[in-house]
Structure formats: C-alpha cells, structure tokens
C-alpha cells in the first residue's frame, strides 16, 4: 500500500480512512508534479502548489478567517473526502484541492505521514 522506505506515498485513494492524509495541490493553475519534474521545475513545486492535505488546507482557511481549527483537525481525521468537503462547506470554507495533480511520476498519491 505505501512505499516501504519513506512511507510518504500510497498506491490508491480507494480507502476513505486514507483521505485525510493524502496531499493535494491547493493553488489553482500550478502544473502537476509529474510535469514539474519533467520540465525541471520541481525544486520549489511543493511551495508553489500549496501542497498539503485537505484538512490542513481547511485549517489554513479557517485561521485566515480568525477561527480556531483544532476541532476541525480532530474531526476530519475520521472523514472521507466527500464528508470533509461537506463539513468544510457547512463552515463556510471552500478550498481548491486536487490530489491527482500531486501524484508522483509513478502514479502514487503523496501522503502526510503520522504516528
């Protein structure tokens, strides 16, 4: 399921338990990671792409509105992507998020590791 060496990639997004940990692009208009690598523009790609998990993107948006994100970060760890998008919308937060654009050249999803 994951890369055995670094535990930073996963081969599928089929399991909703994994959704809160999969990284995606949060900046519209940034080229996909595989294209950045192919063209040699990958050095600062993660920063330019705003690459982070959906829960982290929503937390960032909440903080920008002056709201506490602690409860969201706790609750979102038990949600699928569909549930997270619905919950974020109910809080008045809409974020751009594309986990396919952050996939590796080999097609793996990038994940935020945790213990």
């Amino acid at each position: 399921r994951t890369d055995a060496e670094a535990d930073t990639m996963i081969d599928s997004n089929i399991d909703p338990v994994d959704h809160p940990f999969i990284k995606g692009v949060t900046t519209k208009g940034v080229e996909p990671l595989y294209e950045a690598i192919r063209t040699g523009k990958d050095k600062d790609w993660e920063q330019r792409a705003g690459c982070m998990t959906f829960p982290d993107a929503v937390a960032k948006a909440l903080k920008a509105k002056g709201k506490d994100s602690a409860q969201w970060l706790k609750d979102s760890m038990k949600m699928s992507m569909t549930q997270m998008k619905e919950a974020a919308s109910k809080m008045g937060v809409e974020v751009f998020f594309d986990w396919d654009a952050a996939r590796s050249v080999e097609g793996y999803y990038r994940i935020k590791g945790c213990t």
Side-chain angles (χ1 to χ4, degrees), residues 4-110:
E5 198 167 308
D7 199 29
T8 59
M9 296 186 202
I10 193 165
D11 62 3
S12 168
N13 66 354
I14 195 78
D15 189 346
V17 170
D18 297 327
H19 292 182
F21 305 100
I22 298 175
K23 289 182 173 184
V25 170
T26 62
T27 304
K28 287 183 183 180
V30 174
E31 76 278 12
L33 177 58
Y34 71 85
E35 187 178 319
I37 291 170
R38 184 180 58 77
T39 59
K41 297 178 183 175
D42 57 313
K43 298 284 186 258
D44 65 343
W45 180 87
E46 188 148 338
Q47 181 181 352
R48 287 187 298 109
C51 191
M52 65 185 77
T53 65
F54 189 81
D56 288 342
V58 171
K60 183 178 176 182
L62 287 169
K63 288 178 187 175
K65 290 182 170 195
K67 297 181 180 179
D68 183 31
S69 63
Q71 190 63 46
W72 158 256
L73 287 169
K74 181 181 176 188
D75 293 345
S76 64
M77 293 299 116
K78 301 173 192 126
M79 296 181 193
S80 69
M81 181 57 74
T82 302
Q83 292 168 323
M84 287 189 288
K85 285 183 175 183
E86 288 173 4
S89 182
K90 286 179 183 175
M91 292 185 297
V93 176
E94 299 291 331
V95 295
F96 175 79
F97 186 81
D98 184 354
W99 57 18
D100 287 317
R103 291 174 79 168
S104 71
V105 174
E106 302 83 7
Y108 290 100
Y109 291 92
R110 301 177 69 221

